[in-house]
């Protein structure tokens, strides 16, 4: 009996010793895991801090980008106003014998706006007479009749002057433009710069009248013709390409517009530089389209680059 008791005691002692060893091992393992957990918590805290810092940086850059964009839009508005004033600038006044410097035959009280409205009315009357002579009261029929080269160029001059006065969104303007374009197409090469200029103008008119799909087709023709004749980086080529890309975007053709905007941005950078308003606007549209297409990293990188360009162009 005593031997059995001793044997059991030894077995219990052995088991107790093994249990103690396992307990120590578990405690060591637990301590190690706790240390790892502490380290992970520290790393997580650092990551969270870095994420928060990055978020604040992105928010700051987005605010600066928005402010720079607003500044760009203001610059563009002022530039358009200036260009309009340049387009409608009166010819240098003929100095009278009295030395007053006032235009002879124009009352001193007559405003520039009144003179412009008179100019507009005169041009519209000329356009109506030209179209009436070609096709009667039917503007569409008149625009469809083929004009001589002289008539086509006369119509083009009226069209250009109406564009200068901002009159480019009605049926009369479009009929006159079609008359000019078809006459030029008959007598000149279809890819002649003079023809493509009218193609581009017709696209603008169609877009202003809400006919975007037809406008896109004419923008494409002008863009491809100008690329072939003038090169990818010519200002006229870029102008037609940007209008085409914007039109495609409005039609929901985002994939085509995205690729075209990428190519155009490269052309704008080489031809105009990073600080040119056209380059900045192109980059802005591309960044928006990248974000809409879920290319968020590319959009973010472009916005960071765009912010640097804004700063270079307009300062902090």
């Amino acid at each position: 009996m005593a031997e059995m008791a001793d044997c059991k005691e030894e077995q219990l002692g052995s088991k107790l010793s093994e249990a103690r060893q396992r307990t120590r091992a578990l405690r060591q393992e637990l301590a190690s895991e706790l240390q790892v957990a502490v380290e992970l918590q520290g790393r997580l805290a650092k990551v969270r801090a870095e994420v928060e810092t990055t978020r604040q940086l992105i928010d700051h850059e987005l605010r600066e980008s928005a402010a720079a964009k607003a500044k760009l839009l203001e610059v563009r508005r002022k530039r358009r106003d200036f260009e309009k004033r340049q387009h409608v600038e009166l010819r240098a006044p003929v100095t009278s014998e009295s030395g007053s410097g006032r235009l002879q035959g124009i009352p001193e009280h007559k405003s520039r706006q009144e003179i412009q409205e008179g100019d507009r009315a005169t041009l519209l009357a000329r356009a109506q007479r030209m179209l009436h002579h070609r096709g009667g009261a039917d503007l569409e029929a008149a625009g469809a009749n083929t004009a001589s080269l002289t008539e086509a160029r006369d119509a083009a001059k009226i069209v250009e002057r109406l564009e200068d006065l901002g009159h480019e969104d009605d049926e009369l303007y479009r009929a006159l433009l079609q008359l000019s374009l078809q006459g030029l197409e008959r007598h000149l090469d279809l890819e002649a710069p003079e023809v493509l200029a009218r193609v581009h103008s017709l696209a603008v008119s169609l877009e202003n009248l809400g006919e975007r799909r037809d406008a896109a087709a004419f923008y494409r023709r002008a863009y491809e013709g100008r690329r072939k004749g003038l090169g990818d980086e010519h200002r006229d080529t870029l102008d037609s390409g940007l209008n085409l890309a914007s039109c495609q975007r409005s039609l929901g053709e985002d994939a085509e517009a995205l690729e075209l905007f990428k190519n155009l941005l490269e052309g704008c950078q080489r031809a105009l530089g990073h600080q040119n308003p056209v380059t900045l606007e192109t980059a802005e549209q591309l960044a928006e389209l990248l974000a809409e297409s879920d290319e968020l990293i590319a959009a973010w990188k472009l916005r960071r680059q765009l912010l640097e360009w804004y700063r270079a162009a307009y300062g902090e």
Side-chain angles (χ1 to χ4, degrees), residues 41-256:
Q41 285 182 340
R43 291 178 185 176
L44 180 60
K46 288 181 180 179
V47 170
R48 285 175 175 169
E50 290 174 357
V51 169
E52 179 61 21
T53 301
T54 303
R55 187 190 65 78
Q56 292 177 358
L57 179 61
I58 291 174
D59 288 344
H60 176 70
E61 290 183 348
L62 287 175
R63 286 194 298 271
E64 288 194 350
S65 178
K69 182 179 179 181
K71 187 181 292 186
L72 172 63
L73 293 175
E74 178 64 15
V75 170
R76 288 177 59 210
R77 184 189 64 78
K78 290 180 179 178
R79 186 185 66 182
R80 284 196 302 268
D81 291 345
F82 174 76
E83 288 175 349
K84 282 184 179 179
R85 288 195 298 271
Q86 290 293 99
H87 281 314
V88 300
E89 192 69 36
L90 295 175
R91 292 189 180 132
V94 179
T95 306
S96 64
E97 293 180 0
S98 61
S100 65
R102 183 166 57 83
L103 283 175
Q104 293 181 352
I106 298 180
E108 199 166 11
H109 66 274
K110 199 159 188 174
S111 70
R112 183 184 299 275
Q113 182 177 359
E114 289 173 324
I115 296 169
Q116 291 174 13
E117 289 301 323
D119 193 7
R120 186 198 305 269
T122 300
L123 288 167
L124 291 175
R126 284 181 60 194
Q128 288 172 339
R129 285 196 301 270
M130 180 177 290
L131 291 170
H132 183 78
H133 174 70
R134 302 292 307 174
D138 188 343
L139 291 180
E140 185 174 352
N145 286 336
T146 303
S148 67
L149 183 58
T150 300
E151 289 174 324
R153 284 176 168 160
D154 287 344
K157 290 178 182 178
I158 298 176
V159 163
E160 289 173 356
R161 186 58 181 149
L162 288 172
E163 288 173 357
D164 293 343
L165 294 171
H167 191 100
E168 53 185 359
D169 56 356
D170 65 6
E171 296 295 338
L172 176 63
Y173 169 86
R174 183 166 64 169
L176 190 65
L177 185 53
Q178 289 173 330
L179 177 68
S180 172
L181 175 58
Q182 292 179 8
L184 293 173
E185 287 176 329
R186 178 182 179 184
H187 300 285
L188 302 176
D189 186 90
L190 294 180
E191 294 183 348
E194 194 174 352
V195 173
L196 294 176
R198 299 283 71 81
V199 170
H200 180 92
S201 295
L202 182 56
V204 172
S205 177
L206 289 167
E207 187 175 14
N208 289 341
L209 292 169
E211 300 176 28
R212 291 189 178 86
R213 195 159 298 280
D214 289 337
F218 281 98
Y219 279 136
R220 184 180 299 280
R221 178 184 165 188
Y223 174 58
E224 292 177 351
R226 284 172 163 175
R227 283 184 69 193
K228 183 177 178 181
L230 303 174
D232 290 339
E233 297 173 13
H234 192 278
R235 181 60 181 267
D236 289 344
T237 304
L238 294 172
D239 189 23
S240 293
L242 289 170
N243 282 20
L244 172 59
S246 298
C247 198
Q248 287 176 329
R249 188 179 178 189
S250 69
L251 290 169
E253 300 172 358
D254 290 350
E256 294 85 350

Side-chain angles (χ1 to χ4, degrees), residues 14-33:
S14 177
K15 290 180 179 179
L16 180 60
S17 177
E18 290 175 0
R20 286 173 177 170
Q21 288 177 357
R22 287 198 298 271
T23 301
R24 283 196 297 271
L26 288 172
R27 284 178 177 172
Q28 290 175 355
E29 186 177 349
L30 179 61
S32 177
E33 290 182 353

